[in-house]
Amino acid sequence: MNQTTDGCEPRPEIAEEIFGDRVGLADQYVEILSEEGVLRGLIGPSEPARLWTRHVLNSAAVAEAIGPNLRVVDIGSGAGFPGIPLAIARPDLDVVLIDPLLRRTTFLAEVIEKLGLDNVTVVRGRAEEQAVIDQVVSADVVTSRAVAPLDRLARWSAPLVRVGGQLVALKGRTAADEIVEHREAAARVGLKELTTREVGSRLSEPTTVVIASRVETAGDRKAQRRAERRAKRKG
């Protein structure tokens, strides 16, 4: 292992395998989090001691469940999990970070600039707000980490996912139970075929994600008809 900065967890050797020649960017991100992230209240003072294993590698592992060259929207990004590690590990992805708080989106924008991440953008707002939905348009994948129970998460995520796209949410040990409890609620907003998948099996702390497929709903069809009528009036 390599030490990144005083008080911060040493970089695990597997980080080089996950991030490849971009591992230096991950080092920089961890350093920023351990200093500015703590000072600005975005992570707790005890978190630098476990940034790699608990947060950064855990987030990057989501890449295993996401195909190549896709548009990924990360809702409730906070300090950048899982979106920033995912964007570092997968430069082929177009990643959009969504968070409602100005102090968080300001921090995320600064991180993007410092690391030179040209595949990441930031949107301030709540995922369920129409202005955010209109700005983001349709994503191939919507992801999140520890944002809300699956019923609410499905309701916030579904409008952002294109029909045929996927929800890929980090849920950990509660994943299977949440699917049982909230399957019907997810189906009502167009998220079906809910399954679990373990990612990061070679990490010291693997995690479980919930994956769901976005299908067309009656609401989608109504929205499409309204859009077509507006287009005709404008034309």
Side-chain angles (χ1 to χ4, degrees), residues 22 25 84 87-88 90-96 109 111-122:
R22 291 164 67 86
L25 295 176
I84 294 288
I88 294 172
R90 292 283 303 279
D92 61 299
L93 300 177
D94 176 14
V95 179
V96 180
V111 169
I112 291 166
E113 183 177 1
K114 288 177 182 177
L115 301 187
L117 298 177
D118 57 7
N119 63 325
V120 190
T121 55
V122 180

Side-chain angles (χ1 to χ4, degrees), residues 197-214:
R197 174 176 170 179
E198 185 178 82
V199 295
S201 60
R202 296 182 59 195
L203 302 179
S204 60
E205 295 185 22
T207 194
T208 303
V209 295
V210 170
I211 299 176
S213 297
R214 177 71 159 87

Side-chain angles (χ1 to χ4, degrees), residues 42-87:
L42 297 174
I43 61 171
S46 64
E47 293 308 300
R50 53 184 185 176
L51 271 174
W52 283 103
T53 53
R54 186 176 175 85
H55 300 293
V56 176
L57 296 177
N58 176 277
S59 294
V62 182
E64 297 175 19
I66 298 175
N69 304 310
L70 297 181
R71 190 160 190 265
V72 179
V73 171
D74 175 27
I75 68 173
S77 296
F81 306 123
I84 294 288
L86 185 60

Side-chain angles (χ1 to χ4, degrees), residues 139-184:
D140 299 302
V141 175
V142 169
T143 190
S144 58
R145 182 177 185 263
V147 169
L150 187 56
D151 55 343
R152 275 187 282 157
L153 184 63
R155 190 168 66 248
W156 299 339
S157 301
L160 298 168
V161 190
R162 66 171 176 80
V163 173
Q166 289 186 315
L167 168 78
V168 180
L170 280 81
K171 278 293 181 182
R173 296 186 184 93
T174 67
D177 292 337
E178 289 200 51
I179 287 178
V180 172
E181 184 176 358
H182 301 304
R183 188 186 300 276
E184 292 184 5

Side-chain angles (χ1 to χ4, degrees), residues 9-41:
E9 176 185 19
R11 182 220 293 166
E13 291 181 6
I14 197 171
E16 295 186 29
E17 180 180 327
I18 291 173
F19 292 105
D21 60 4
R22 291 164 67 86
V23 71
L25 295 176
D27 283 333
Q28 291 179 56
Y29 179 49
V30 167
E31 184 174 356
I32 293 168
L33 284 170
S34 64
E35 296 173 355
E36 286 297 312
V38 173
L39 288 173
R40 294 157 76 162

